């Protein structure tokens, strides 16, 4: 199975090395090299991409920030000079995490893993298509999270906001503060899309609980929550759709 790839890095030398490695392998096809996340976003909208080599430390948008706003992600292999981001890479469900300077044998191991994952995903899709459709799942108005050595039910209607703190998140409800080991991306997957919105790399808000909006801040009760530049456009779109002046 061939993989269509893009490489995203603000260092020309790093892009040259990845491009040279890709050309050595017949099952890889380089679609484009990009010097920024915004350039990569345009390519992803125009081209079919199976695998993205993504640097983390980049100007304007870091690789992590880019993934947090990107929908329908291809497979990801992080390429970085900083080992400190390894855990975040794991939380992003990356195929692999390559430290610069990248040796070819390590690159080959990573892309082989990507090829195997894509093959597994393809087989799973085929099996799902062949199987009879299950009854439609009932949409719940609650979720369960692990905290304090137990599993706790959290009703969506009770959540005020959610705050990310490194490897943990805080779920603030009207009655309690729940701390659980979970990434912000995984939490967004659990929440109903129509009722919650990520407005900052560290904050998700319940749209029904917003008391006021002032410039780049949201107030819920006595809590002031910043609106990050990366998320501002999506938030303003929600404001416009709901006729908020």
């Amino acid at each position: 199975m061939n993989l269509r790839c893009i490489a995203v890095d603000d260092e020309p030398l790093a892009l040259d090395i990845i491009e040279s490695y890709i050309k050595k392998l017949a099952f890889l096809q380089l679609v484009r090299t990009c010097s920024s996340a915004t350039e990569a976003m345009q390519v992803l909208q125009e081209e079919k991409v199976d695998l993205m080599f993504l640097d983390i430390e980049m100007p304007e948008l870091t690789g992590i920030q880019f993934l947090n706003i990107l929908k329908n992600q291809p497979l990801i292999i992080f390429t970085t000079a900083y080992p400190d981001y390894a855990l975040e890479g794991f939380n992003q469900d990356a195929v692999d995490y390559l430290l610069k300077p990248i040796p070819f044998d390590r690159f080959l191991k990573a892309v082989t893993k990507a090829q195997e994952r894509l093959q597994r995903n393809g087989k799973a899709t085929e099996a799902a298509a062949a199987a009879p459709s299950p009854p439609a799942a009932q949409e719940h108005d609650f979720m369960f999270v692990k905290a304090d050595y137990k599993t706790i039910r959290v009703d969506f209607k009770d959540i005020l906001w959610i705050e990310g703190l490194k490897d943990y998140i805080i779920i603030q409800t009207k009655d309690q503060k729940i701390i659980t080991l979970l990434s912000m991306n995984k939490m967004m997957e659990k929440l109903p899309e129509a009722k919650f919105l990520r407005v900052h790399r560290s904050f998700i808000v319940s749209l029904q609980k917003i008391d006021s909006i002032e410039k780049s801040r949201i107030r819920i009760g006595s809590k002031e929550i910043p609106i990050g530049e990366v998320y501002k456009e999506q938030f303003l779109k929600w404001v416009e759709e709901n006729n908020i002046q």
Side-chain angles (χ1 to χ4, degrees):
M1 180 179 290
N2 293 334
L3 280 72
R4 290 171 56 84
C5 313
I6 64 171
V8 189
D9 202 308
D10 63 315
E11 299 177 17
L13 179 59
L15 289 176
D16 289 344
I17 291 172
I18 292 174
E19 182 174 357
S20 70
Y21 285 173
I22 289 173
K23 289 179 177 178
K24 292 177 185 289
L25 301 171
F27 66 91
L28 297 182
Q29 177 186 347
L30 181 63
V31 175
R32 195 85 60 85
T33 59
C34 305
S35 59
S36 68
T38 51
E39 184 182 348
M41 185 176 294
Q42 183 67 32
V43 174
L44 289 172
Q45 291 172 351
E46 298 172 351
E47 301 279 357
K48 178 183 180 295
V49 175
D50 302 307
L51 174 63
M52 177 163 59
F53 299 93
L54 182 62
D55 187 23
I56 294 181
E57 284 290 340
M58 294 187 293
E60 296 181 358
L61 278 179
T62 68
I64 301 297
Q65 290 173 330
F66 179 39
L67 289 185
N68 286 339
I69 63 173
L70 187 63
K71 294 183 178 179
N72 302 319
Q73 299 176 7
L75 298 178
I76 304 297
I77 294 177
F78 282 118
T79 59
T80 179
Y82 303 96
D84 298 344
Y85 293 109
L87 181 58
E88 184 63 28
F90 174 77
N91 289 338
Q92 296 286 348
D93 195 29
V95 173
D96 212 333
Y97 185 95
L98 299 180
L99 282 175
K100 301 175 183 177
I102 304 168
F104 179 71
D105 64 322
R106 187 67 184 83
F107 178 89
L108 178 59
K109 181 178 179 181
V111 295
T112 301
K113 286 167 61 178
Q115 186 184 41
E116 291 171 352
R117 184 184 291 192
L118 193 63
Q119 288 173 337
R120 289 197 302 271
N121 291 348
K123 290 176 181 178
T125 301
E126 290 174 5
S133 300
Q138 181 180 356
E139 185 173 334
H140 296 293
D141 56 3
F142 61 89
M143 64 180 174
F144 286 97
V145 296
K146 293 181 179 180
D148 298 328
Y149 304 100
K150 57 187 176 183
T151 302
I152 301 173
R153 171 177 166 147
V154 183
D155 290 335
F156 295 136
K157 64 179 177 60
D158 293 337
I159 298 174
L160 302 177
W161 69 82
I162 296 165
E163 181 175 0
L165 294 173
K166 292 186 178 179
D167 306 330
Y168 296 84
I169 61 171
I170 297 173
I171 303 172
Q172 182 67 58
T173 74
K174 59 182 182 180
D175 298 319
Q176 61 180 327
K177 180 185 293 185
I178 302 167
I179 301 175
T180 183
L181 180 61
L182 201 66
S183 71
M184 292 288 277
N185 283 348
K186 292 297 182 183
M187 174 53 67
M188 282 300 297
E189 291 175 6
K190 289 175 172 284
L191 298 168
E193 193 173 312
K195 296 181 180 179
F196 292 86
L197 190 64
R198 190 167 185 178
V199 298
H200 188 275
R201 64 180 300 179
S202 300
F203 285 99
I204 300 167
V205 298
S206 170
L207 297 171
Q208 297 172 325
K209 298 297 193 300
I210 294 176
D211 292 317
S212 63
I213 305 164
E214 182 180 348
K215 294 183 179 178
S216 294
R217 293 192 174 273
I218 294 167
R219 182 176 290 276
I220 299 178
S222 60
K223 179 73 172 180
E224 279 194 353
I225 296 171
I227 302 171
E229 286 297 322
V230 174
Y231 305 92
K232 183 176 290 186
E233 182 177 349
Q234 185 180 10
F235 180 72
L236 292 177
K237 181 179 178 182
W238 173 81
V239 169
E240 182 180 346
E241 289 175 350
N242 286 271
N243 296 318
I244 299 173
Q245 301 298 325

